Amino acid sequence: GIKKDIEKLYEAVPQLVNVFKIKEKIGEGTFSSVYLATAQLQTGYEEKMALKHLIPTSHPLRIAAELQCLTVAGGQDNVMGVKYCFRKNDHVVIVMPYLEHESFLDILNSLSFEEVREYMFNLFKALRRIHHFGIVHRDVKPSNFLYNRRLKEYALVDFGLAQGTPDTKIELLKTTQSEGQQGSCLQNNPIVALGNEVSVSVTAPKQIAQQSASKASDKRSSSLSKIQSKQGRGGKEDSVHHSVQRSVFGERNFNVSSSTYQENSSTKLIKQSKMIDVSSRKLVTKKKIISTKTVSSGVARKAASGCPSNLACDCYATDRVCSICLSRRQQVAPRAGTPGFRAPEVLTKCPTQTPGTASIDMWSAGIVFLSLLSGRYPFYKASDDLTALAQIMTVRGSRETIQAAKTFGKSVLCTQDVPAQNLRTLCEKLRGTNSSCTRSKDDTHTDSVNDLDLPVETDKQCAPKTLGKEIQHIQSCQESDGALEVKATDMKGWDQVPDDAYDLLDKLLDLNPATRITAKEALLHPFFKDMRL
Amino acid sequence: GKRCTAQKSRTGRLKNPFLKVEDRSCHYRPFYLQLPSFPVLNYCVPKPYSPFEADKKHPSGQKQTQSKQRNKTNSEKDCGTPVQLPQRDKKKRGYCECCGKKYEDLQTHLESEQHRNFAQSTQYQVVDDIISKFAYEFVEYKDDTKKIKRTKCST
């Protein structure tokens, strides 16, 4: 197992042999494995390092982009930096300082309210920094934000899915017009199937990735972009394009491999160039379609064509689908990241490359905050995008979600009308122990299935009758969970969570990305008053 | 958005409850989800589990007994036989960005001629350029093992 992996790593990258003592594997994901190692530095000290071994199928441009994020933005403001990098052929190992860190799940319910405030403040510091450089992380979640409780140290890690904003300062993340932009099909890229199986690994408390190898992040995606990799001293210019697309759990993989629009003879292809998508792990051949005449009917096939079929039907915003709308091209939009942390505009396949793209990270930060305030992690539990969207609706309201989606060009139809929850009430109910719901642990007669039939929408059902009467409430906590260290004298600040906290949460979980709070603004929010920037 | 005019076509109705998302341009295929039941916030799920952890038995002290029982009683499906698993996870399927193709087995693909060629190509110059800017601060351990000359990475 692990021992063999370590041996193999030494074998693949022999430069590591006399430099590092590789101790153990501390993380494994789809695209990398992370090891803990020690190294002797010229300063005389022996230091712990994290070695991130990238999967050898990674394109050099992706690897370079990740390194560039670490070198340009990393090393300060709670953003992980890089110490060195070793390569032999297709094997690349990134060396980073090691930060010993907690398992989020283990400490979630023992953190004081003040620690939560510090945690969020430090997360925004990291996000402000990367967003300043035009980096969108796309996979913000606790396992990618290392936290050392004792030292009060933090590090945002893993730029394996990062994407650039239109004005990014990271050369290798520079992009052109986005794939999947509405309207014109002049820039459409047929996409080669990706077929990556997705597996969500459950975070075992003891097995947390140091440099999270994106545990649950399945595919990577970014958008059509053109990279001019200027090869140092007048080398040749590769022009590389990016295109995007990833499939999601449970969703059919709709990769398009056909290219031109067959029905259309006047379609001309120009220059084909290799395209790599810096996050979606696939190469695509770009075919620019110059002229496209109106398509004479003919039912398009499932294999989507390079151009959307613009045939109209009247299923729009109804409960119907027909062969016409189902034969249209799938909209391709980057949806990398971890389910449960994706913003609504990501879940609904909104094309990115708008200047507000960084707001998707702010949504994810809001989900982290939601976990901290409610004591639940992961908060959302969905294996596909639309289930995640439905779960968001139950918290933020279906009408509100639909309304916001309109602002970014999406029609969302939902058969359920669910009201928005009051965030304070929601978090307090989830954090507090409910006497009416608590089952004693040795109650083997309780059939959990019956629990599921309980109507839970009404506040009366589960709310502790003693809400507000602190003492009784605490007693019920102690009765139900001996492990919970709640003392009547010390609620760790949880008995007086200020309104500011929920106001900030509301602004982070703004369904409209255009008005969602930015990292810079969040740091100035009253919730953080008296904290030094 | 645009107006979408009617056309003759076969239609299907989505079953309740459902969620349907469509770009307002009507240029793309709608996508939808039909659920047996719409998600519900379940406050009764114990901490720290998700309030949407409804349809699953959350892990608890009884988990083991539960699965044992399931193995006894559920003879209809043998999908969970752990005996077959070890062989399976050996095969790592995926997509190679370097070669632009899917592979059924990672190790086999890495050894393929196409990939070997790419691995040894100059395509990695873009990575090496960045590496060349790093300061090398390591001192080699004096080991009894075979001494390896300190090689500057990939030159």
Side-chain angles (χ1 to χ4, degrees):
Chain A
I2 307 285
K3 254 202 131 113
K4 207 174 165 196
D5 287 345
I6 293 174
E7 271 170 45
K8 271 193 186 158
L9 181 56
Y10 279 127
E11 212 173 298
V13 189
Q15 305 97 298
L16 304 174
V17 173
N18 284 333
V19 176
F20 296 98
K21 286 178 183 163
I22 303 177
K23 311 278 183 196
E24 54 175 323
K25 192 186 242 184
I26 52 177
E28 182 163 23
T30 321
F31 305 119
S32 62
S33 300
V34 183
Y35 298 86
L36 171 62
T38 54
Q40 190 78 42
L41 294 186
Q42 286 163 4
T43 55
Y45 292 104
E46 185 179 76
E47 274 187 35
K48 282 183 177 172
M49 307 273 171
L51 304 187
K52 181 176 181 174
H53 179 214
L54 305 177
I55 191 168
T57 55
S58 304
H59 196 280
L61 278 162
R62 175 193 306 286
I63 299 166
E66 181 168 356
L67 280 170
Q68 209 165 59
C69 288
L70 290 164
T71 52
V72 175
Q76 57 172 289
D77 281 349
N78 306 325
V79 181
M80 178 56 77
V82 54
K83 281 200 113 55
Y84 202 73
C85 180
F86 293 89
R87 176 178 89 85
K88 190 192 172 199
N89 296 336
D90 50 349
H91 288 273
V92 175
V93 173
I94 302 175
V95 183
M96 288 164 288
Y98 174 70
L99 174 61
E100 205 169 328
H101 54 279
E102 325 289 334
S103 145
F104 189 78
L105 193 58
D106 289 353
I107 59 165
L108 178 58
N109 281 292
S110 69
L111 290 169
S112 70
F113 177 69
E114 187 53 27
E115 283 174 309
V116 165
R117 207 165 71 105
E118 288 164 5
Y119 181 102
M120 290 308 297
F121 185 80
N122 282 285
L123 175 56
F124 293 134
K125 258 167 96 165
L127 292 176
R128 181 187 56 181
R129 178 153 180 96
I130 65 163
H131 293 168
H132 169 79
F133 288 102
I135 301 167
V136 185
H137 186 283
R138 301 195 65 86
D139 200 19
V140 172
K141 57 179 174 183
S143 53
N144 282 335
F145 187 58
L146 312 182
Y147 170 44
N148 184 308
R149 193 174 181 178
R150 190 175 51 87
L151 301 171
K152 291 202 189 295
E153 280 185 19
Y154 309 83
L156 181 65
V157 300
D158 199 349
F159 292 93
L161 292 174
Q163 218 190 313
T165 55
D167 59 342
T168 186
K169 300 184 179 73
I170 308 296
E171 194 68 26
L172 290 160
L173 290 179
K174 284 220 157 77
T175 59
T176 61
Q177 269 279 296
S178 159
E179 145 82 12
Q181 288 286 38
Q182 300 181 12
S184 113
C185 41
L186 289 178
Q187 286 269 4
N188 281 319
N189 307 291
I191 285 158
V192 174
L194 173 82
N196 231 335
E197 288 291 302
V198 176
S199 67
V200 184
S201 54
V202 180
T203 314
K206 286 253 161 106
Q207 277 211 325
I208 303 286
Q210 140 84 0
Q211 169 70 304
S212 147
S214 293
K215 279 196 184 59
S217 339
D218 31 38
K219 312 281 162 47
R220 312 180 160 204
S221 66
S222 86
S223 53
L224 174 63
S225 61
K226 191 172 179 178
I227 290 183
Q228 308 282 7
S229 65
K230 296 178 184 70
Q231 308 267 49
R233 295 141 287 284
K236 63 170 197 298
E237 269 197 358
D238 318 278
S239 95
V240 180
H241 304 269
H242 299 247
S243 140
V244 175
Q245 177 206 346
R246 53 183 283 295
S247 69
V248 186
F249 311 90
E251 230 185 296
R252 239 167 308 146
N253 204 351
F254 48 75
N255 297 290
V256 178
S257 57
S258 97
S259 45
T260 46
Y261 208 41
Q262 274 131 347
E263 274 84 6
N264 186 344
S265 50
S266 65
T267 301
K268 249 210 226 148
L269 293 181
I270 349 179
K271 204 162 101 193
Q272 296 194 2
S273 47
K274 269 280 172 91
M275 301 201 347
I276 174 200
D277 161 358
V278 169
S279 331
S280 142
R281 299 251 152 214
K282 79 185 135 311
L283 290 164
V284 233
T285 308
K286 186 181 182 192
K287 303 186 178 166
K288 248 195 189 163
I289 293 161
I290 294 287
S291 68
T292 316
K293 283 200 184 139
T294 337
V295 184
S296 52
S297 69
V299 183
R301 267 165 236 95
K302 268 244 166 95
S305 44
C307 248
S309 140
N310 285 330
L311 287 176
C313 68
D314 55 4
C315 298
Y316 181 74
T318 69
D319 65 347
R320 292 187 305 274
V321 287
C322 71
S323 52
I324 292 175
C325 57
L326 290 181
S327 66
R328 292 188 195 128
R329 197 170 84 81
Q330 300 257 19
Q331 184 161 22
V332 160
R335 284 170 306 154
T338 303
F341 290 89
R342 293 184 197 132
E345 66 272 23
V346 182
L347 299 173
T348 55
K349 296 190 196 174
C350 203
T352 53
Q353 293 318 290
T354 51
T357 318
S359 57
I360 71 167
D361 286 345
M362 297 306 287
W363 174 276
S364 304
I367 301 297
V368 176
F369 197 22
L370 182 60
S371 275
L372 290 163
L373 292 172
S374 66
R376 308 304 187 117
Y377 177 74
F379 191 89
Y380 290 122
K381 199 153 174 67
S383 55
D384 65 87
D385 285 356
L386 290 186
T387 301
L389 189 67
Q391 291 180 358
I392 288 170
M393 284 180 173
T394 64
V395 173
R396 304 299 276 152
S398 52
R399 285 179 201 193
E400 291 83 349
T401 307
I402 291 164
Q403 191 53 44
K406 272 187 192 156
T407 66
F408 49 83
K410 296 292 167 182
S411 148
V412 178
L413 198 64
C414 177
T415 51
Q416 300 287 305
D417 186 18
V418 287
Q421 302 290 318
N422 172 295
L423 293 172
R424 176 186 285 277
T425 313
L426 170 86
C427 292
E428 287 177 352
K429 272 162 79 175
L430 287 169
R431 182 168 263 285
T433 314
N434 282 299
S435 40
S436 56
C437 283
T438 311
R439 270 183 288 137
S440 61
K441 283 192 175 137
D442 44 29
D443 184 4
T444 42
H445 302 295
T446 320
D447 184 354
S448 67
V449 181
N450 286 342
D451 283 358
L452 306 184
D453 298 333
L454 284 174
V456 283
E457 285 135 304
T458 50
D459 282 358
K460 282 167 254 171
Q461 241 345 294
C462 292
K465 293 163 193 145
T466 52
L467 201 70
K469 287 190 191 171
E470 217 59 84
I471 303 296
Q472 279 188 62
H473 177 55
I474 290 158
Q475 279 173 346
S476 73
C477 286
Q478 286 172 322
E479 278 163 17
S480 62
D481 190 352
L484 206 67
E485 290 179 82
V486 183
K487 294 174 194 139
T489 48
D490 180 22
M491 285 286 290
K492 293 189 170 178
W494 288 106
D495 51 337
Q496 39 194 348
V497 177
D499 287 338
D500 284 336
Y502 297 106
D503 180 72
L504 175 58
L505 180 62
D506 182 56
K507 291 183 161 76
L508 290 163
L509 299 181
D510 185 340
L511 296 159
N512 182 349
T515 51
R516 196 173 299 148
I517 197 168
T518 65
K520 212 170 165 176
E521 290 162 350
L523 289 165
L524 300 170
H525 190 277
F527 180 58
F528 298 121
K529 66 174 177 285
D530 74 35
M531 285 193 113
R532 282 187 304 120
L533 267 171
Chain B
K2 254 193 218 169
R3 267 245 167 128
C4 306
T5 43
Q7 285 271 335
K8 269 191 216 163
S9 62
R10 289 171 299 138
T11 62
R13 274 185 189 277
L14 299 173
K15 280 206 193 74
N16 252 346
F18 70 84
L19 208 58
K20 181 185 172 195
V21 178
E22 197 167 7
D23 194 82
R24 296 180 79 191
S25 68
C26 293
H27 287 174
Y28 301 98
R29 181 180 171 155
F31 55 107
Y32 48 87
L33 172 74
Q34 300 175 85
L35 301 130
S37 65
F38 204 80
V40 158
L41 269 165
N42 188 344
Y43 295 98
C44 307
V45 180
K47 275 197 296 186
Y49 302 106
S50 166
F52 298 99
E53 184 94 52
D55 44 4
K56 262 202 238 158
K57 179 91 184 107
H58 20 260
S60 72
Q62 293 172 50
K63 199 182 175 184
Q64 286 189 327
T65 6
Q66 292 268 335
S67 51
K68 271 181 202 164
Q69 282 177 339
R70 213 180 294 132
N71 281 348
K72 277 178 200 165
T73 51
N74 257 8
S75 49
E76 44 184 333
K77 269 196 228 165
D78 265 342
C79 54
T81 336
V83 190
Q84 307 166 336
L85 282 172
Q87 289 181 321
R88 270 236 175 144
D89 63 4
K90 275 274 183 199
K91 284 238 170 180
K92 286 190 186 162
R93 289 194 294 156
Y95 178 84
C96 180
E97 295 177 332
C98 304
C99 308
K101 56 153 71 148
K102 285 195 274 187
Y103 54 83
E104 282 305 309
D105 176 51
L106 177 62
Q107 208 46 47
T108 310
H109 175 74
L110 295 181
E111 288 159 14
S112 71
E113 194 186 349
Q114 185 185 6
H115 189 85
R116 295 310 317 147
N117 285 340
F118 188 96
Q120 290 161 23
S121 74
T122 57
Q123 295 268 355
Y124 289 88
Q125 189 58 48
V126 63
V127 176
D128 293 344
D129 287 347
I130 296 175
I131 292 176
S132 67
K133 297 191 182 87
F134 288 128
Y136 186 93
E137 309 173 313
F138 307 104
V139 180
E140 292 186 24
Y141 287 110
K142 295 284 177 279
D143 264 4
D144 301 337
T145 49
K146 53 184 185 295
K147 273 207 178 171
I148 290 186
K149 278 176 275 148
R150 194 226 285 171
T151 39
K152 267 268 182 170
C153 195
S154 64
T155 25

